[in-house]
Amino acid sequence: MITGLPFRTRIWLRRARIVGLRVARLVRTGIIRLLPGVRFLLRAVRRRWRRSLQFRTVLTTLLLSIGSFAVVGAYLSNQIANNLFQERLTQAESETLYNVKQVQDTFDGAQVTDQSSVITLVYDTLNAVEGRGSVIQRRYVFEAMPEQTKPRNRWVESRASDQLTVSVIPPELRKAVQESGKDQYWASTEFPVGTEDRPGIAVGNKVTFNGTVYELYLIYDLNTAQKTLDEIQNVLLAGGAVLVLIIGAIAWYVTRNVVSPVSHAAVVSEKLAAGQLQERMVVKGEDEVARLGASFNHMAASLQEQITQLATLSQMQQRFVSDVSHELRTPLTTVRMAAEVLYDARHDFDPINKRSAELLYNQVERFQSLLADLLEISRFDAGVAMLDAEPTDILQLVANVVEDAGPVAAEYGSVVTINSREKSIVVEMDDRRIERILRNLVLNALEHSEGKPVNISVAANETAVAVAVRDYGIGMTRSEAARVFDRFWRADPARARTTGGSGLGLSIAAEDTKLHNGWLQAWGNKGTGSNFRLTLPLKQGDAIAKSPLQLEPADVGLPGGTGQGTMLLYGSVPLPEDGGAVPAAESELPEPAEAPTQAEPAEAPASTMDAKERP
């Protein structure tokens, strides 16, 4: 048996370890499964707190009510407990004085000399003090003071009721009684009664018997007062809970009557914003909320009327522009044919008529370009512009646009550079519309470059391709950036045009970009030039996560390293041998969270045109 004990101990320890590990695993699994639910509940409460005024008001009212009732209940309970205790203490002190006097008088008048008579007298006297009956009124502890000479006839050392001992008396109370004369002292204590401990008050005095000084402590039971206090606290707790629920219900009802019309107004406002102009609030009664609803309905009706008038006026204007544009095509064709005839025969005219024929020819050309742009804008306004997307190499398209702009570049004395690290980038797009966008951007850059280089950067990532047209001319300001894509807008109306144009080029470019679900954005800085960036999805229907090129140029080369790229040059100004005079494309920077289809002030820190309208 002795040799087998360590082995069995190891077995039991191993079993205990296994059970402990299993319990820990179960506890961990329970916590892991419980945490998501707790997090979900906290998130739901937080979300409800943010979104619901009624929930926030009711919950705040409940929390404040609970706090108020807790404070008031604690104060009332403490006051009741103090009053009950003070009342019982006063009664205990007066009763103790009376009973101690009776005991002392009995001891003083006793004529007993034998042991049995003394024990009987003490026992009967203390039982009378105890007040035995159906309910014990008080208990006693009778103890001879220590360190006193024991008389020859002292046959009683200590006595207590209900098997109590002197240990139930607090040491501080015994010390005070022992060191005092005939003063009375009290202290709170606990004493056992059966299997429970009850609160009580111990009141102590000195008595003498046959030359021996005794400590007499009367213990008063406070169990009845404690039960009364517990019942009062339970009533306060139950009443407070009921009152909190009633206050919560009242707060919910009141806030519901106030918040419901506001919530209804919010829903109606959202529907109005979505275009459902016929929505109205339900008005009941004649109070402030009803007047608010009536005012809201009046405002909605007024807005509906104004929006309807504006929509009708806009439709009339669009129809007028479309009709006039179509009606002007036939006479304009006739005028153009006549202008071409005069222009071809201008050499036979005198100088005045020759100049008139040239002016007539040029202005008819501008008029025809403006008419074509107006027709295109009218198609966008009518919502009939369609996208004919096909896979096309955008690099080849850029090269064609730059080649067509070669004479203009030579006229301005600017060098046009195409920078790309790819040999071919195939994009699903409407090549006619994208070519029109790029032509507008390139001619616009040449017109405002003031003879300085123009860089065209092309780059692609997983979802998008970007073309940035950078010039180093007069630049733009922040206020101009916000309006660069507006129709017929000019930064300086007094400045004369040099290349012509209708003033609708960038507006049409923005509409073409919107058809492709792309971005067309502008950046500029006064005196340092501007940068226009076109970003298109590689495949129609895909979302653009990030543009491959930065809107604000860094002029330090293409993103992704310093390798060689395709470079096509057009223009009459030669490049320096080191190539340093022609900045390449830009390095990559983080994109904004939302990229609009036209220039936004938040993305254009310096902004758009300077002294001339973009064509």
Side-chain angles (χ1 to χ4, degrees):
M1 294 296 290
I2 296 176
T3 57
L5 184 59
F7 176 73
R8 291 184 177 181
T9 303
R10 288 196 300 271
I11 291 178
W12 282 106
L13 288 176
R14 184 177 301 172
R15 290 178 179 175
R17 192 183 307 112
I18 292 173
V19 172
L21 290 174
R22 290 179 178 177
V23 171
R25 191 180 297 113
L26 289 175
V27 172
R28 180 185 176 188
T29 303
I31 293 175
I32 291 175
R33 293 181 178 179
L34 185 62
L35 282 178
V38 174
R39 293 195 190 98
F40 175 78
L41 181 61
L42 291 177
R43 285 196 298 267
V45 172
R46 193 181 301 114
R47 183 169 58 252
R48 186 72 173 173
W49 175 273
R50 292 196 308 265
R51 296 184 177 181
S52 176
L53 177 61
Q54 183 178 5
F55 177 79
R56 191 161 59 246
T57 303
V58 173
L59 185 58
T60 303
T61 303
L62 287 176
L63 293 176
L64 292 177
S65 299
I66 292 173
S68 301
F69 280 121
V71 173
V72 174
Y75 175 77
L76 291 177
S77 177
N78 183 64
Q79 288 297 109
I80 294 173
N82 288 336
N83 292 335
L84 288 175
F85 183 81
Q86 290 297 329
E87 181 182 358
R88 195 72 180 95
L89 176 60
T90 303
Q91 181 182 0
E93 288 180 333
S94 62
E95 290 182 1
T96 301
L97 285 174
Y98 175 78
N99 285 282
V100 167
K101 184 178 182 303
Q102 292 293 329
V103 170
Q104 188 63 59
D105 292 343
T106 302
F107 286 166
D108 291 342
Q111 300 293 328
V112 292
T113 57
D114 59 290
Q115 180 180 0
S116 61
S117 300
V118 169
I119 294 175
T120 301
L121 176 64
V122 170
Y123 182 76
D124 293 341
T125 302
L126 293 178
N127 283 342
V129 170
E130 190 178 31
R132 285 185 175 274
S134 59
V135 178
I136 298 177
Q137 298 178 2
R138 65 187 71 83
R139 290 166 177 81
Y140 67 87
V141 173
F142 188 72
E143 183 77 17
M145 286 186 59
E147 300 180 0
Q148 61 177 327
T149 304
K150 184 176 182 180
R152 180 173 54 83
N153 58 349
R154 190 172 86 189
W155 294 293
V156 179
E157 288 290 335
S158 64
R159 183 171 293 276
S161 61
D162 287 345
Q163 299 179 351
L164 295 179
T165 62
V166 75
S167 61
V168 301
I169 306 302
E172 297 81 2
L173 178 59
R174 290 202 62 189
K175 183 178 179 181
V177 171
Q178 292 170 4
E179 294 177 354
S180 69
K182 292 186 178 181
D183 296 331
Q184 180 173 274
Y185 296 91
W186 68 272
S188 298
T189 185
E190 287 186 351
F191 60 95
V193 177
T195 59
E196 63 175 344
D197 290 337
R198 292 184 179 181
I201 299 175
V203 184
N205 288 272
K206 285 181 182 179
V207 294
T208 58
F209 183 51
N210 288 341
T212 302
V213 180
Y214 291 90
E215 302 170 29
L216 177 59
Y217 299 97
L218 298 183
I219 303 174
Y220 294 85
D221 193 351
L222 298 181
N223 189 52
T224 304
Q226 183 63 43
K227 289 182 178 179
T228 303
L229 180 61
D230 292 341
E231 292 177 358
I232 292 174
Q233 290 177 344
N234 292 334
V235 170
L236 289 176
L237 183 62
V242 173
L243 284 178
V244 167
L245 293 178
I246 294 175
I247 291 174
I250 294 174
W252 178 83
Y253 178 76
V254 173
T255 54
R256 180 176 177 270
N257 289 337
V258 176
V259 173
S260 294
V262 178
S263 301
H264 182 53
V267 173
V268 174
S269 299
E270 292 175 356
K271 292 182 178 180
L272 290 175
Q276 303 178 20
L277 302 179
Q278 74 282 357
E279 287 292 330
R280 296 293 184 270
M281 288 184 62
V282 178
V283 179
K284 296 180 179 179
E286 299 179 357
D287 54 9
E288 292 82 0
V289 177
R291 291 198 298 272
L292 174 63
S295 301
F296 185 90
N297 290 340
H298 179 70
M299 178 190 68
S302 177
L303 288 176
Q304 181 181 13
E305 182 180 358
Q306 295 181 15
I307 291 174
T308 303
Q309 292 177 355
L310 292 175
T312 304
L313 180 61
S314 177
Q315 292 176 359
M316 293 176 59
Q317 291 176 343
Q318 294 173 8
R319 190 180 303 111
F320 175 77
V321 171
S322 178
D323 294 344
V324 170
S325 301
H326 283 85
E327 292 298 329
L328 287 177
R329 294 182 66 180
T330 301
L332 181 59
T333 303
T334 304
V335 173
R336 182 183 179 186
M337 293 174 59
E340 288 178 352
V341 172
L342 295 175
Y343 183 77
D344 293 339
R346 68 186 183 280
H347 299 291
D348 298 333
F349 299 158
D350 57 82
I352 296 177
N353 292 329
K354 178 181 179 181
R355 179 57 179 166
S356 298
E358 293 174 349
L359 290 175
L360 176 62
Y361 178 79
N362 292 331
Q363 294 303 316
V364 168
E365 288 290 333
R366 284 190 58 192
F367 191 14
Q368 188 173 20
S369 175
L370 174 60
L371 185 60
D373 289 342
L374 286 174
L375 288 173
E376 187 68 20
I377 286 291
S378 65
R379 280 191 286 269
F380 283 121
D381 291 339
V384 297
M386 303 298 294
L387 190 66
D388 185 14
E390 294 181 356
T392 307
D393 185 359
I394 195 170
L395 277 173
Q396 185 60 45
L397 190 64
V398 172
N400 294 338
V401 171
V402 173
E403 184 177 3
D404 293 340
V408 180
E411 178 183 353
Y412 284 102
S414 298
V415 174
V416 182
T417 307
I418 302 177
N419 301 288
S420 177
R421 300 197 177 282
E422 306 292 338
K423 298 295 183 181
S424 175
I425 302 176
V426 178
V427 184
E428 289 186 5
M429 61 182 182
D430 189 333
D431 56 350
R432 179 182 65 87
R433 296 182 183 276
I434 299 303
E435 182 180 4
R436 179 165 59 190
I437 296 173
L438 296 174
R439 184 171 61 251
N440 272 285
L441 297 181
V442 172
L443 294 178
N444 186 72
L446 290 172
E447 180 182 357
H448 298 87
S449 64
E450 297 183 332
K452 297 178 182 178
V454 174
N455 292 335
I456 303 176
S457 303
V458 185
N461 57 20
E462 294 80 3
T463 60
V465 62
V467 180
V469 181
R470 171 79 161 103
D471 67 75
Y472 298 86
I474 56 180
M476 298 180 288
T477 63
R478 180 182 294 273
S479 59
E480 293 165 350
R483 303 192 59 191
V484 69
F485 295 100
D486 292 348
R487 299 177 183 180
F488 298 107
W489 181 79
R490 300 180 63 180
D492 185 3
R495 179 166 176 166
R497 301 180 185 272
T498 57
T499 61
S502 62
L504 296 172
L506 289 180
S507 299
I508 295 175
E511 296 291 343
D512 286 333
T513 305
K514 188 182 300 183
L515 283 178
H516 286 81
N517 294 322
W519 307 343
L520 181 58
Q521 299 157 292
W523 170 90
N525 196 12
K526 205 69 171 179
T528 60
S530 59
N531 186 48
F532 282 77
R533 183 184 65 183
L534 171 66
T535 307
L536 300 173
L538 291 177
K539 295 182 179 180
Q540 285 300 311
D542 292 348
I544 302 175
K546 182 178 182 180
S547 180
L549 293 176
Q550 169 184 327
L551 179 59
E552 182 178 354
D555 297 327
V556 293
L558 282 171
T562 57
Q564 294 295 326
T566 304
M567 180 173 290
L568 305 177
L569 303 180
Y570 295 91
S572 60
V573 180
L575 288 174
E577 294 181 359
D578 59 357
V582 182
E586 297 76 31
S587 62
E588 188 171 356
L589 285 179
E591 283 299 311
E594 295 183 0
T597 57
Q598 66 179 27
E600 297 270 348
E603 274 208 50
S607 73
T608 29
M609 277 302 297
D610 177 32
K612 180 186 287 190
E613 158 196 354
R614 295 287 183 178

